[in-house]
Amino acid sequence: MSTTSVIVIVVAVVVVLVVGAWLLMRKQREHQRVEAKGIRDHAAEQEFEVGQRQARAEEIAARSRAAKAESEAKAAQADQLAQQANVHRTDAADSRADLNEEWERADKVDPDTKPDQSQT
C-alpha cells in the first residue's frame, strides 16, 4: 500500500468520523428539542392549575382579612357596649342609693314607723 492510499484511507476515516459525530450531535439536539417541547407543554398545562391555586389562595386571604376586620369591629362594639353597661350600672347604683335614701326619709317622716322597722 502506498503512502497516498494510506493518507486517503485515513482522511476518509476521519471524514466518516466527523460526519458521524456531526450526525450524532444533530440527532441529540433534535432529541433535546423534542424533550424541551414536552417539558414546555407540560408546564403550560400546569400554568392554568397554578393560576387557579393562586386565585384561590388570594380569595381565602381576602376572606380572612374581611373576617379579621369584622372580628375587630365586633370587639370594638363589645367594648363600647361594656362601657355603656358600666355607665348604666353606675347610674343604677346611684339611683338605688337615692331610692334607699327616699325610703329612709319616708320612714323618718312617717309617725307610724318605728325606728327599727325598715321597708328595704
Side-chain angles (χ1 to χ4, degrees):
M1 222 192 240
S2 70
T3 308
T4 308
S5 298
V6 171
I7 292 175
V8 168
I9 292 173
V10 170
V11 169
V13 169
V14 169
V15 168
V16 168
L17 288 175
V18 168
V19 169
W22 179 76
L23 288 173
L24 184 63
M25 287 176 27
R26 186 174 165 198
K27 185 176 181 180
Q28 186 179 11
R29 284 187 190 147
E30 185 59 32
H31 175 72
Q32 289 172 334
R33 284 185 188 104
V34 168
E35 184 180 3
K37 183 183 182 315
I39 293 170
R40 285 187 182 98
D41 289 345
H42 182 62
E45 290 172 6
Q46 290 181 333
E47 185 75 33
F48 179 72
E49 292 175 18
V50 169
Q52 283 184 322
R53 287 184 189 135
Q54 287 174 327
R56 179 78 173 138
E58 289 301 319
E59 175 189 345
I60 291 171
R63 287 179 23 206
S64 171
R65 288 189 299 271
K68 184 176 180 183
E70 184 179 340
S71 171
E72 289 170 355
K74 292 283 186 184
Q77 183 181 16
D79 288 344
Q80 184 181 14
L81 290 172
Q83 290 174 354
Q84 289 177 1
N86 285 334
V87 167
H88 286 291
R89 272 192 214 100
T90 301
D91 289 347
D94 291 345
S95 295
R96 174 58 63 194
D98 291 345
L99 182 60
N100 287 341
E101 287 176 11
E102 287 294 312
W103 282 111
E104 288 174 12
R105 195 170 69 113
D107 288 345
K108 288 179 184 176
V109 171
D110 188 355
D112 294 332
T113 303
K114 295 182 183 170
D116 59 342
Q117 281 184 327
S118 175
Q119 294 266 339
T120 55

